[in-house]
């Protein structure tokens, strides 16, 4: 009908529940908007109907140049260790670009504990969480999980980490020991030159992976984020604490 909104065909991602592909000239990764009508960071919003259903929904395009988790999905990661209903501890939330998509993905039954130390970014995060009840903004330093343990009342299913710190492997292990359930998943984005700007990226990645193994973090896969990010890798795995 004239004036009717264009509806796109949307398919569920084959591997990741809660992630979608908007079909078009170039297919785009997307999440189903938890808060329709609102863009978080100027991202494109499209109306679509998931194949096999009749109900129209709003989807938010998930740009791999703006989100390391999206770039990992584009590059064929096997598991992102999170799904609808999951509880996720997100370390290094910044102003919430990727957090907003994780919030869509885990949906109203899930929760995202979003830790960010920068107060400027934290303000944006708090503002966004007013509309998204499944985000708990935590303005603290991820290096000191003791300081926010009271805000995370249960063990989480997954930790996602994007903290540009030289000892990020240690910070991940520390948070896993406090908050990650036995057998829970982790996804960490490692920026090589942040850890050691003199060593080749591949060496930095393998040394970080070795450190993780010593702490009960069992890496299952590692992949580069090229062409979206230079000298970044994502490492995913599961946590088996050493009691």
């Amino acid at each position: 009908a004239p004036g009717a909104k264009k509806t796109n065909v949307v398919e569920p991602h084959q591997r990741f529940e809660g992630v979608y592909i908007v079909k078009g000239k170039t297919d785009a990764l997307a999440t189903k908007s938890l808060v329709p009508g609102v863009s978080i960071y100027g991202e494109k919003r499209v109306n679509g109907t998931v194949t096999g259903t009749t109900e129209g929904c709003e989807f938010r395009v998930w740009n791999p140049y703006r989100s390391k988790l999206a770039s990992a999905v584009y590059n064929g990661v096997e598991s992102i260790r999170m799904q609808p209903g999951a509880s996720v501890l997100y370390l290094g939330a910044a102003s919430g670009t990727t957090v907003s998509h994780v919030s869509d993905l885990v949906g109203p039954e899930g929760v995202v504990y979003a830790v960010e130390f920068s107060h400027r970014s934290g303000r944006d995060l708090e503002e966004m969480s007013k509309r998204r009840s499944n985000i708990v903004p935590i303005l603290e330093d991820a290096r000191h999980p003791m300081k926010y343990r009271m805000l995370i009342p249960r063990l989480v299913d997954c930790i996602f980490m994007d903290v540009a710190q030289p000892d990020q492997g240690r910070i991940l292990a520390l948070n896993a020991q406090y908050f990650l359930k036995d057998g829970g998943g982790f996804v960490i984005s490692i920026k090589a030159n942040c850890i050691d700007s003199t060593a080749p990226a591949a060496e930095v990645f393998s040394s970080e992976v070795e450190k993780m193994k010593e702490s009960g973090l069992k890496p299952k896969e590692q992949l580069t984020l090229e062409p979206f990010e230079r000298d970044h890798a994502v490492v995913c795995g599961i946590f088996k604490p050493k009691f």
Side-chain angles (χ1 to χ4, degrees):
K5 273 189 177 174
K6 178 178 182 289
T7 299
N8 296 270
V9 174
V10 179
E11 289 181 356
H13 194 284
Q14 288 183 334
R15 278 205 301 280
F16 308 127
E17 198 187 344
V19 180
Y20 298 87
I21 310 286
V22 179
K23 306 302 282 181
K25 271 185 211 149
T26 55
D27 293 352
L29 205 61
T31 54
K32 188 190 287 187
S33 183
L34 190 69
V35 187
V38 181
S39 281
I40 302 295
Y41 56 96
E43 73 281 8
K44 190 176 169 191
R45 305 194 316 273
V46 298
N47 289 300
T49 306
V50 178
T51 312
T53 67
T54 52
E55 184 194 356
C57 301
E58 184 179 279
F59 294 85
R60 298 168 53 237
V61 171
W62 196 5
N63 182 343
Y65 288 97
R66 296 289 302 271
S67 165
K68 297 185 185 75
L69 188 55
S71 57
V73 171
Y74 264 89
N75 282 358
V77 70
E78 279 294 315
S79 172
I80 53 172
R81 308 281 163 188
M82 56 184 85
Q83 65 284 323
S87 53
V88 177
L89 172 58
Y90 194 118
L91 303 173
S95 51
T97 299
T98 299
V99 171
S100 69
H101 288 285
V102 174
S103 158
D104 285 347
L105 191 159
V106 301
E109 304 297 312
V111 61
V112 187
Y113 299 102
V115 178
E116 176 51 50
F117 196 39
S118 148
H119 279 270
R120 180 188 285 176
S121 296
R123 278 202 302 270
D124 295 341
L125 200 58
E126 287 188 317
E127 202 50 48
M128 178 174 73
S129 70
K130 288 175 187 170
R131 287 204 182 99
R132 290 173 169 264
S133 58
N134 67 355
I135 297 176
V136 178
I138 298 172
L139 270 65
E140 285 290 353
D141 186 341
R143 289 176 296 192
H144 303 294
M146 274 289 286
K147 289 187 175 175
Y148 48 90
R149 72 188 193 289
M150 303 304 284
L151 299 171
I152 302 176
R154 57 189 174 135
L155 294 177
V156 299
D157 300 307
C158 171
I159 296 180
F160 178 85
M161 182 176 189
D162 181 12
V163 173
Q165 291 285 350
D167 58 344
Q168 58 189 50
R170 186 190 69 81
I171 299 169
L172 173 64
L174 199 55
N175 279 273
Q177 282 149 17
Y178 271 95
F179 306 118
L180 189 54
K181 59 175 61 160
D182 186 348
F186 67 87
V187 179
I188 177 173
S189 166
I190 301 172
K191 183 179 179 182
N193 69 3
C194 189
I195 292 164
D196 183 345
S197 55
T198 60
E203 266 177 41
V204 175
F205 298 144
S206 65
S207 105
E208 282 302 293
V209 164
E210 285 313 307
K211 284 182 210 159
M212 285 180 213
K213 288 178 180 167
E214 289 161 20
S215 319
L217 297 161
K218 303 210 176 313
K220 297 289 185 190
E221 57 178 326
Q222 174 185 330
L223 73 161
T224 172
L225 295 186
E226 305 271 358
F228 308 109
E229 298 276 357
R230 278 193 61 200
D231 290 338
H232 276 72
V234 154
V235 177
C236 313
I238 57 168
F239 180 52
K240 283 287 178 194
K242 296 177 173 179
F243 291 117

